[in-house]
Amino acid sequence: IPADRGIVGECVRTRALINVTYCYADARFDRSIDHGSGYRTRCMLTLPLVGHDDQLVGVLQVVNRREGVFDADDEAMAAALAAQCAVALQRVRTTEQLLQSEKLRQEIAVAHDIQQGTLPKALPAIPGYDFAAMFRPADDTGGDIYDFVATASGDIMVLMGDATGHGIGAALSATQVRAMLRVAQRMGAGLDDTFRHINDQLVVDLPEDRFVTAFLGCLGPTQHVLRYHSGGQGPLLHFRAADQACDAYAPTTFPLGAMPIAVLRPAGEIALAPGDVLALISDGVYEYHDADGRLFGEQAVIDLLRQHHDQPMPDLLERLQEALSAFAQGAPQLDDIT
């Protein structure tokens, strides 16, 4: 019954017991229920069900005393009954909420396991190259993704994506990008076709306010050249060991799923020399806030590359995580980190 209708509505508003001795003489009485059921309500007690913390959980109505009308003793007994009903209803609702929360927790745990299972089981093993990667979601699941896929020609496709938001919704978008990359490689698609088709399919699938920033590159380990497209993903950091400089490359095009690609720009190219480091890092690192609201920033990553570039990549990655933790000073992680 709507809370603004009839005697029930007034009880909800006032939270007071209402004793009506003759319902059809009371303008507040809603006759539609009697008309629909064929029952005739003569007299009525209406009481609010108020639980702990003064929370209104419902309204109790007692109708048609067997003899006469409801008196003060009836009101007292009904009030005691209403108090017990309120507690019972709250317990039932609390139990239902706990069960729903546990069910949701279990479903999120399954989603977490599925997402973690899509990450590469092993990193590429290429003579002369060293790889390291990690994904740390802000929630149980996250909107970041990375992947390494060997092509038929011996090249390595490298993916790093960041879907808008974090949590299960973003995880679905990120996982879709990874799945489409895998299918494209099974079909023998090249870098340009793979990037364009993933983008155009996301345009069809994603809501208008959703997109995925993504880096997709193809590493030729014999030519030591990385060809790539970067849809809104940047900066891409290339530390050059020869002169200790670090180039920061901007995205080459708009994020995936934002709009169809009519004409794809030529792929960018990065030539790698001995000792160079290519760092693909999501904005969860650059935009990590410390306790005072300051950003970790791009320069902090560049300084770390310059200081530890000669270490194995897993060690370098560990140094980055240590630096981020020290910078944060206990501030919570608000975005996925890859």
Side-chain angles (χ1 to χ4, degrees):
I1 301 176
D4 60 351
R5 181 183 300 172
I7 298 173
V8 167
E10 181 167 334
C11 183
V12 167
R13 290 191 298 273
T14 64
R15 295 196 179 192
L17 181 149
I18 302 173
N19 188 344
V20 178
T21 57
Y22 183 61
C23 292
Y24 279 81
D26 194 310
R28 299 168 298 178
F29 179 63
D30 182 0
R31 304 182 182 188
S32 63
I33 295 178
D34 277 10
H35 292 163
S37 65
Y39 188 82
R40 184 171 180 83
T41 305
R42 180 170 44 83
C43 60
M44 176 188 295
L45 276 180
T46 304
L47 305 94
L49 300 180
V50 181
H52 61 81
D53 298 332
D54 199 36
Q55 182 181 4
L56 182 71
V57 296
V59 169
L60 171 68
Q61 287 190 318
V62 187
V63 301
N64 289 2
R65 194 179 194 275
R66 289 183 179 179
E67 295 180 1
V69 296
F70 296 105
D71 57 22
D73 290 339
D74 297 322
E75 291 180 2
M77 178 151 319
L81 178 63
Q84 295 181 48
C85 287
V87 172
L89 280 174
Q90 280 192 316
R91 286 177 177 172
V92 169
R93 291 181 178 178
T94 300
T95 301
E96 291 175 344
Q97 290 171 355
L98 288 173
L99 290 173
Q100 289 296 325
S101 297
E102 176 60 19
K103 181 179 179 182
L104 179 59
R105 188 196 65 79
Q106 292 177 0
E107 291 177 349
I108 291 176
V110 171
H112 169 82
D113 292 343
I114 291 174
Q115 183 177 36
Q116 293 296 320
T118 64
L119 299 176
K121 303 299 186 293
L123 300 182
I126 301 175
Y129 282 84
D130 191 13
F131 294 87
M134 59 84 66
F135 165 51
R136 193 172 80 198
D139 296 328
D140 291 298
T141 58
D144 284 7
I145 195 73
Y146 72 86
D147 203 2
F148 300 96
V149 185
T151 69
S153 63
D155 294 343
I156 299 293
M157 297 290 278
V158 182
L159 168 70
M160 190 184 78
D162 181 0
T164 48
H166 43 85
I168 293 178
L172 290 172
S173 299
T175 303
Q176 181 182 2
V177 172
R178 182 260 183 191
M180 288 192 289
L181 168 63
R182 291 276 174 162
V183 170
Q185 292 314 298
R186 286 180 178 271
M187 301 296 292
L191 173 67
D192 295 349
D193 287 340
T194 299
F195 188 83
R196 182 175 63 253
H197 288 309
I198 290 177
N199 173 81
D200 292 352
Q201 188 61 49
L202 290 177
V203 171
V204 175
D205 293 344
L206 295 182
E208 292 184 357
D209 62 340
R210 297 287 172 174
F211 56 85
V212 179
T213 61
F215 170 94
L216 182 63
C218 183
L219 172 64
T222 57
Q223 303 86 9
H224 311 300
V225 172
L226 180 77
R227 299 177 57 251
Y228 70 94
H229 296 289
S230 179
Q233 187 68 51
L236 316 171
L237 300 181
H238 175 205
F239 177 81
R240 301 195 308 269
D243 57 7
Q244 303 287 293
C246 190
D247 296 325
Y249 297 97
T252 59
T253 186
F254 48 78
L256 297 177
M259 66 184 73
I261 295 178
V263 178
L264 183 63
R265 297 178 181 176
E269 291 191 359
I270 298 176
L272 299 173
D276 286 6
V277 177
L278 179 68
L280 308 176
I281 300 174
S282 68
D283 56 6
V285 171
Y286 298 123
E287 298 176 6
Y288 205 120
H289 290 76
D290 69 1
D292 297 323
R294 294 171 298 185
L295 297 180
F296 188 69
E298 177 183 327
Q299 188 59 49
V301 179
I302 293 175
D303 292 343
L304 186 138
L305 292 177
R306 184 173 288 114
Q307 182 178 358
H308 301 290
H309 67 92
D310 56 345
Q311 296 186 15
M313 289 301 98
D315 293 347
L316 177 58
L317 186 54
E318 188 174 342
R319 299 293 86 74
L320 175 59
Q321 295 182 76
E322 291 172 351
L324 198 61
S325 178
F327 168 82
Q329 297 179 341
Q333 177 186 341
L334 301 180
D335 199 2
D336 305 323
I337 290 176
T338 303

